[in-house]
Amino acid sequence: MRKANFLFLLLLLGAAVQPAWGQAGLEVLNVTTAPDGAQTYSVTLQILLLMTLLSLLPAALIMMTAFTRIIIVLALLRQGLGTTQTPSNQILIGLALFLTLFVMTPVFDRIHVQAVQPYMAEDLSAEQAVIEASGPLREFMMAQTREPDLAMFARISGRDGFESPDDVPFTLLIASFLTSELKTAFQIGFLILIPFLIIDLVVASVLMSMGMVMLSPLIISMPFKVMLFVLVDGWALIMGTLASSFFT
């Protein structure tokens, strides 16, 4: 009986609130067209669009920032050291995130000044704020993109003859930026792996000459690689190289 009474009260409450809810929904979810043709979205609709865009934040972090280059280099470094799960994936992702934040701080500061603050002060509409925010991010991506990669995707899409970097479509720029970042990351990783490869070759040759063919060279070479990496202050070199590669 208590459950039945409780459900009955919920139904009465829902019936009482339903007309008011429907009326409020009509008021807050609307689009207003100004005399000059510009459209202004209600606050509730803007919040809905913002929450939808937040779901794309991880993809934007990977595709449009320094994260891709950093995480690939750190993964290749771990592979070269021969420590399969040390540092762990969580530590590598944490290092990549904070180093990405360090590299992207000037870009984020410009976005905050040019887009976020005017939008919060209601000096810019949502569309204008997005356009202003894309400017600093476009400049960062264009500075890290190789011209052959940009020309290749422009040729594929049939959009040759851009007069200025601002004329490059954002989708084309993202594809070119990702291709350039992958190339740069593997170039840096190749240079990092060379000393470790030499140690592996020396250890394997010594073991073969001693007839110890049943002993894995990785077991012997890993301590020497770790010792070399520590002696040359490898973490400072890697972090400094990755950070400075975006400011040259």
Side-chain angles (χ1 to χ4, degrees):
M1 291 295 294
R2 292 181 178 178
K3 292 183 179 180
N5 292 334
F6 180 72
L7 293 175
F8 181 73
L9 290 176
L10 286 180
L11 291 175
L12 290 178
L13 182 62
V17 173
Q18 185 175 1
W21 171 256
Q23 184 177 0
L26 293 175
E27 292 179 358
V28 296
L29 294 177
N30 55 18
V31 180
T32 304
T33 303
D36 56 355
Q39 292 183 340
T40 303
Y41 299 94
S42 61
V43 177
T44 305
L45 191 57
Q46 292 180 17
I47 294 176
L48 179 62
L49 294 175
L50 179 61
M51 296 301 295
T52 304
L53 292 176
L54 286 178
S55 63
L56 303 176
L57 186 60
L61 176 65
I62 294 174
M63 294 188 300
M64 301 166 61
T65 63
F67 183 83
T68 301
R69 182 189 305 185
I70 295 172
I71 193 63
I72 290 176
V73 172
L74 293 179
L76 291 176
L77 171 64
R78 184 177 66 178
Q79 188 73 21
L81 285 172
T83 55
T84 54
Q85 295 297 328
T86 304
S88 62
N89 293 332
Q90 291 83 354
I91 295 177
L92 289 185
I93 293 175
L95 287 173
L97 283 174
F98 282 104
L99 194 56
T100 300
L101 181 62
F102 170 78
V103 172
M104 300 297 296
T105 295
V107 179
F108 292 154
D109 288 341
R110 291 182 55 192
I111 292 175
H112 181 72
V113 173
Q114 298 181 11
V116 177
Q117 288 183 350
Y119 175 72
M120 297 299 293
E122 299 183 357
D123 294 333
L124 293 177
S125 63
E127 295 83 359
Q128 293 173 340
V130 171
I131 295 174
E132 292 294 330
S134 64
L137 196 59
R138 175 186 289 272
E139 292 180 8
F140 170 80
M141 296 172 61
M142 187 65 68
Q144 307 300 325
T145 303
R146 289 181 171 86
E147 292 185 3
D149 298 331
L150 190 62
M152 178 188 67
F153 283 101
R155 183 177 64 256
I156 293 174
S157 62
R159 299 177 180 178
D160 295 331
F162 298 115
E163 297 182 357
S164 64
D166 295 335
D167 297 333
V168 179
F170 217 75
T171 54
L172 192 151
L173 178 59
I174 292 175
S176 306
F177 172 75
L178 283 175
T179 305
S180 298
E181 286 295 284
L182 290 174
K183 288 182 180 179
T184 304
F186 276 92
Q187 288 177 354
I188 298 175
F190 172 75
L191 296 176
I192 293 174
L193 292 176
I194 288 178
F196 301 139
L197 177 61
I198 295 175
I199 294 177
D200 287 334
L201 291 176
V202 172
V203 172
S205 300
V206 172
L207 292 178
M208 287 291 293
S209 63
M210 295 176 63
M212 303 174 66
V213 295
M214 300 300 293
L215 182 62
S216 176
L218 295 177
I219 300 177
I220 307 300
S221 63
M222 186 181 69
F224 290 99
K225 291 188 287 187
V226 172
M227 180 183 65
L228 174 65
F229 190 71
V230 172
L231 289 176
V232 299
D233 198 8
W235 285 114
L237 291 175
I238 295 298
M239 295 299 179
T241 301
L242 285 173
S244 61
S245 65
F246 292 96
F247 294 99
T248 55

